[in-house]
């Protein structure tokens, strides 16, 4: 990573309590929260740009709907008063929001993403960030996803889904690192 500190932003995506409610199922990566908190702490210590993304679902009965307890950020991921929050209602954090404008006004050319879920909102946002011209980094071990029904009576394990999505992102859209590897690069920035 060669971005300067002024040109790199951390974007935690949908790190919300609602994913602990139904209909979400078994997830992978029990270390996601610890890794995400390490990223936040390192970022805040440096005072670098940080923009939180929150999913405000418009689907009736969603655990991510505004007003539902699940819409709240997970413990340790609550934005501080001086930190920006972008609310979205679709998978991509760039659609229907001012995220791109905020990043451009900050002069950001590199985004570092983590959160929930690897295969949905993180992946979709990473692909769009890359297509919009941002150098994109995904912290794979600071994300999680869920088992999925394959539509033919079987279940695809969250671990397999995560591995496939991170591989696809790595192949074309993003640099994929783990938390320790990424944090080791910050001293060089």
């Amino acid at each position: 990573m060669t971005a300067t500190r002024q040109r790199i932003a951390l974007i935690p995506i949908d790190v919300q309590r609602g994913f602990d409610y139904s209909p979400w199922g078994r997830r992978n990566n029990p270390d996601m929260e610890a890794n995400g908190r390490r990223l936040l702490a390192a970022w805040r210590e440096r005072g670098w740009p940080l923009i939180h993304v929150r999913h405000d679902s418009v689907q009736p009965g969603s655990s991510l709907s505004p007003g539902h307890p699940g819409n709240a950020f997970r413990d340790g991921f609550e934005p501080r008063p001086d930190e920006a929050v972008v609310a979205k209602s679709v998978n991509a954090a760039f659609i229907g929001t001012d995220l791109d404008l905020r990043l451009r006004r900050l002069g950001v050319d590199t985004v570092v993403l983590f959160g929930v879920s690897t295969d949905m909102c993180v992946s979709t946002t990473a692909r769009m960030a890359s297509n919009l011209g941002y150098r994109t980094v995904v912290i794979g071990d600071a994300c999680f996803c869920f088992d999925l029904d394959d539509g033919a009576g079987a279940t695809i394990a969250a671990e397999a889904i995560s591995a496939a999505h991170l591989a696809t992102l790595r192949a074309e859209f993003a640099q994929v690192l783990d938390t320790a590897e990424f944090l080791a690069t910050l001293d060089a920035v």
Side-chain angles (χ1 to χ4, degrees):
M1 260 192 29
T2 58
T4 63
R5 67 180 180 85
Q6 297 88 0
R7 299 184 60 130
I8 186 170
L10 182 67
I11 304 175
I13 299 171
D14 301 350
V15 188
Q16 294 167 258
R17 295 179 184 175
F19 293 106
D20 295 333
Y21 292 84
S22 180
W24 310 103
R26 190 192 73 85
R27 64 175 256 201
N28 72 323
N29 193 12
D31 296 328
M32 177 271 169
E33 287 85 355
N35 291 330
R37 286 186 195 105
R38 287 174 56 207
L39 292 166
L40 282 175
W43 220 260
R44 287 170 169 159
E45 178 182 302
R46 288 163 174 80
W48 293 353
L50 170 60
I51 301 174
H52 300 266
V53 173
R54 183 186 65 231
H55 192 93
D56 287 350
S57 179
V58 295
Q59 299 299 318
S62 171
S63 62
L64 299 171
S65 295
H68 188 287
N71 186 260
F73 288 97
R74 289 169 130 28
D75 291 340
F77 292 93
E78 302 88 351
R80 293 182 176 171
D82 63 334
E83 294 172 350
V85 177
V86 170
K88 65 178 182 59
S89 62
V90 297
N91 299 99
F94 290 98
I95 297 201
T97 74
D98 65 350
L99 179 58
D100 186 45
L101 178 63
R102 287 173 183 261
L103 294 169
R104 300 219 185 265
R105 284 184 174 164
L106 290 168
V108 167
D109 66 4
T110 302
V111 294
V112 179
L113 311 176
F114 76 93
V116 185
S117 71
T118 314
D119 58 326
M120 300 289 180
C121 297
V122 174
S123 179
T124 306
T125 299
R127 290 164 187 263
M128 285 200 68
S130 176
N131 287 336
L132 288 168
Y134 294 100
R135 290 188 65 237
T136 304
V137 179
V138 173
I139 309 300
D141 68 350
C143 299
F144 70 75
C145 63
F146 301 94
D147 290 348
L148 285 177
D149 180 333
D150 73 351
T155 298
I156 304 171
E159 292 79 6
I161 293 166
S162 178
H165 278 268
L166 292 174
T168 302
L169 290 173
R170 184 181 294 112
E172 188 166 340
F173 300 98
Q175 184 177 15
V176 177
L177 301 172
D178 66 29
T179 301
E181 183 180 21
F182 176 73
L183 291 176
T185 70
L186 291 186
D187 293 331
V189 175

